[in-house]
Amino acid sequence: MIKFDKVTKRYDDAGPDGPLVLRNVSFEIADGECVSLVGPSGCGKTTILRIIAGLEQPTTGIVTKPDRVAMVFQSGALLPWLSVYDNIAFGLRAKAAREPAAKRPSESRIREIVGTYAEMTGISEFLDRYPRDLSGGQRQRIGIARALAVDPDVLLLDEPFSALDAKTAHDLSVDLVKIWQETRKTVVLVSHSIEQAVAITNRVFLIKDGTVAHEYPISIPRPRHEQGEAFMNEVMNIRRPFFSA
Amino acid sequence: MARHPAGKHRYHHHSEFTYPTSLSQRLSSIFLLPLVAVLFFGGILMILSHTSVIAVNSVDFGSLSSALGATFLRLLLAYGLSIIFAIPLVLLVNISPRVETLLLPLFDIIESVPILAFFPVVILFFIAAGFSEGAAVFIIFISMLWNIVFSLVGGLKTVPTDIKAAARVFGVRGPAYLFKVLLPSVFPYLVTGSLLAWAQGWNMIIVAEVLHTYLPGGTERQDLFGIGSILVHASTSENTALFIAAISLIIVVIALMNFFIWQKLLKYSERFRFE
């Protein structure tokens, strides 16, 4: 479970009188849930994600979260000198190095895990290639496979579709839902697109001015058709407060 | 690891992966190699430097090649030392923004002080220690060092914050972070810094080998045997043929290095660059 209890955040370099980027944020996400944080730029949604990832500490408040958290980055954050295979194995090898020698997975086990998630994300045929040889969508799939390979309890996705064209983003979002349904990991997606949030997740948190402004359970049955009436109604329902002052 | 879905993939990766596990193994790959090279080539240099520069009066390819070899070894030793010293200095800068604010201006000042102004003192120090060869290597080393340091510092600033965050999220810390993320990230900058360092080194060889001009009552016998001192010797004795032969040899070596080493390294380093 992920639980934020009256969390505030002020960046150290802003000084003690600097603005709060998060104000009194409280929410709970159950294990295996697929949720999203949407909101305008600078609203604090990525800061929430970074706190869950352990990249930032809250200024005040209590955060409860599992230890095993993995993240997919907006830019992909792939290492250009490593092949796709080695990029997927990057976190796995680091995790293996921290384990006692007796428990450390063998190279063949690592190969097996990398192969499993490469297949799940649809990049099996590119394992010997390098990130620069691949498209933006394929790179994001490598990032997802790298995150899944460490077998996390929580998968965080920071605007994974923002640099992709509409078709690629749609295909990836469809596959992301399949991956969630197959793995049942807790998924927290940050997006500025209400449509993507409604298409992928089961609960949408609208973040405004550093706090959770609204929370929307999405109960449309899957597969969700973006042209369907129920889908459009949900999107409009969120859009109104999203754009209001 | 048991929680992963059953592996039913059909992919077979053929590469062999060798990831050193101990810190000493990792350190050896970057520090021990230059250190061994420094000691090995230093030994050869000692043998070569017993020849006197004034014995070379004609265009003798053997003597010129030996002199070029001696000079090249001095450059190689200085370069090895530059790498050994530059990496810890750069890592020190990378500790925190506060340390960087403190150290960078300090490096800038040290770099800006004309090292040749101190050369006579350096020569006297090494001659007193019975190791005049050290004076040349030291002066070339100092002239190379800052090119590499500032290139690497610039390189560290290009590492995307998402890459640093990814390393943290996936628990890549300490030596693993250094060797698997930071050093590969700055590799293109190490190559460009090295290129500039060698160019600077070639510039310094004449000054570094002609020691007698800095010593009271010094003679050419005190000069170090090398292609730089031969150039000066040929010039002062108006031996045009020897001068042209020596300078041609330097140009050929620099061109060969550029073609066979730097161009290839520059091309190879492109794969380490972030988009």
Side-chain angles (χ1 to χ4, degrees):
Chain A
M1 185 183 69
I2 301 168
K3 186 178 177 187
F4 272 47
D5 188 10
K6 293 174 185 158
V7 169
T8 64
K9 175 67 185 174
R10 175 185 284 121
Y11 283 106
D12 293 341
D13 51 10
D17 299 323
L20 284 171
V21 284
L22 293 183
R23 295 182 296 112
N24 211 23
V25 173
S26 297
F27 62 78
E28 277 186 39
I29 301 168
D31 289 341
E33 249 196 297
C34 182
V35 305
S36 53
L37 311 175
V38 298
S41 298
C43 67
K45 53 191 190 297
T46 295
T47 305
I48 294 174
L49 208 70
R50 289 176 67 86
I51 289 175
I52 301 172
L55 293 168
E56 303 286 349
Q57 295 302 317
T59 306
T60 61
I62 298 166
V63 174
T64 311
K65 64 185 181 72
D67 289 334
R68 302 195 307 184
V69 176
M71 189 163 170
V72 178
F73 293 84
Q74 189 175 3
S75 66
L78 302 174
L79 300 171
W81 57 88
L82 294 183
S83 66
V84 170
Y85 178 95
D86 287 333
N87 264 294
I88 298 173
F90 177 72
L92 189 56
R93 289 183 196 285
K95 184 184 169 191
R98 292 193 299 272
E99 298 205 2
K103 286 188 174 179
R104 208 168 286 161
S106 63
E107 198 52 50
S108 62
R109 177 66 184 139
I110 288 176
R111 200 174 300 146
E112 195 179 326
I113 294 167
V114 170
T116 300
Y117 291 109
E119 196 161 288
M120 190 182 280
T121 50
I123 48 169
S124 293
E125 61 191 290
F126 306 119
L127 287 172
D128 282 331
R129 307 268 287 274
Y130 285 84
R132 83 182 76 86
D133 302 331
L134 304 178
S135 68
Q138 288 161 338
R139 286 185 214 176
Q140 284 301 18
R141 287 169 189 271
I142 301 169
I144 294 168
R146 175 177 68 179
L148 289 170
V150 297
D151 192 21
D153 295 312
V154 179
L155 179 64
L156 306 172
L157 299 113
D158 185 14
E159 308 236 21
F161 312 109
S162 62
L164 307 180
D165 63 79
K167 169 78 169 65
T168 308
H170 175 264
D171 292 348
L172 185 57
S173 67
V174 168
D175 283 352
L176 194 59
V177 171
K178 283 184 193 160
I179 289 167
W180 172 69
Q181 287 172 330
E182 192 173 334
T183 63
R184 288 290 161 179
K185 304 278 182 200
T186 308
V187 170
V188 183
L189 166 75
V190 160
S191 177
H192 60 260
S193 162
I194 299 167
E195 286 82 356
Q196 276 162 1
V198 173
I200 297 168
T201 63
N202 289 343
R203 202 145 54 109
V204 178
F205 293 99
L206 175 61
I207 313 293
K208 281 186 83 175
D209 302 323
T211 195
V212 179
H214 296 277
E215 190 183 320
Y216 304 90
I218 311 292
S219 51
I220 311 166
R222 297 178 189 276
R224 292 173 181 170
H225 301 290
E226 293 186 22
Q227 310 304 326
E229 193 181 338
F231 188 95
M232 296 303 281
N233 285 342
E234 288 286 6
V235 170
M236 290 312 292
N237 195 25
I238 302 170
R239 187 166 281 171
R240 268 188 292 272
F242 186 100
F243 285 109
S244 67
Chain B
M1 295 288 167
R3 303 194 327 161
H4 289 287
K8 51 181 179 178
H9 70 289
R10 289 166 291 280
Y11 175 75
H12 298 284
H13 196 76
H14 300 291
S15 309
E16 281 297 317
F17 295 97
T18 49
Y19 277 79
T21 48
S22 73
L23 177 61
S24 61
Q25 277 175 302
R26 287 186 180 121
L27 286 174
S28 70
S29 61
I30 195 139
F31 292 112
L32 211 59
L33 204 65
L35 202 64
V36 168
V38 163
L39 293 173
F40 178 72
F41 293 123
I44 301 175
L45 182 60
M46 286 293 108
I47 298 165
L48 280 173
S49 62
H50 280 295
T51 314
S52 171
V53 69
I54 55 170
V56 184
N57 283 312
S58 60
V59 182
D60 164 16
F61 187 73
S63 300
L64 282 174
S65 300
S66 301
L68 186 68
T71 298
F72 191 78
L73 288 176
R74 271 175 210 119
L75 288 163
L76 208 60
L77 294 179
Y79 177 65
L81 289 171
S82 302
I83 298 284
I84 292 169
F85 280 85
I87 289 172
L89 283 177
V90 172
L91 292 178
L92 212 59
V93 171
N94 197 46
I95 286 176
S96 77
R98 279 184 190 170
V99 177
E100 184 185 323
T101 316
L102 198 76
L103 282 184
L104 277 189
L106 189 70
F107 288 174
D108 212 18
I109 292 166
I110 298 172
E111 191 220 5
S112 303
V113 173
I115 186 64
L116 291 180
F118 293 99
F119 198 29
V121 183
V122 173
I123 293 172
L124 289 175
F125 172 79
F126 278 100
I127 285 179
F131 184 50
S132 55
E133 195 63 60
V137 173
F138 179 79
I139 228 78
I140 301 170
F141 154 69
I142 290 291
S143 69
M144 284 181 161
L145 178 69
W146 300 111
N147 286 295
I148 296 172
V149 167
F150 285 109
S151 287
L152 290 180
V153 168
L156 280 178
K157 290 188 184 301
T158 67
V159 183
T161 48
D162 270 2
I163 292 288
K164 294 176 187 171
R168 279 182 65 191
V169 167
F170 291 108
V172 180
R173 297 186 181 91
Y177 179 61
L178 171 65
F179 289 100
K180 289 180 184 173
V181 179
L182 271 193
L183 289 181
S185 298
V186 298
F187 182 67
Y189 299 87
L190 179 65
V191 174
T192 47
S194 299
L195 209 160
L196 293 170
W198 273 80
Q200 188 74 16
W202 283 111
N203 274 332
M204 292 297 288
I205 57 164
I206 294 176
V207 185
E209 289 175 353
V210 185
L211 301 181
H212 81 273
T213 51
Y214 299 94
L215 299 169
T219 67
E220 281 185 318
R221 286 186 185 282
Q222 287 160 310
D223 291 347
L224 296 172
F225 178 64
I227 202 77
S229 55
I230 284 183
L231 268 177
V232 175
H233 173 61
S235 175
T236 52
S237 59
E238 295 181 11
N239 191 338
T240 313
L242 183 61
F243 183 86
I244 290 172
I247 201 112
S248 302
L249 212 53
I250 291 177
I251 291 168
V252 167
V253 169
I254 289 174
L256 289 176
M257 276 188 77
N258 189 47
F259 189 75
F260 287 108
I261 298 174
W262 301 124
Q263 290 305 322
K264 291 195 186 314
L265 273 175
L266 282 170
K267 195 177 173 199
Y268 177 71
S269 71
E270 280 305 307
R271 70 165 56 183
F272 291 80
R273 237 177 245 285
F274 296 103
E275 288 176 2

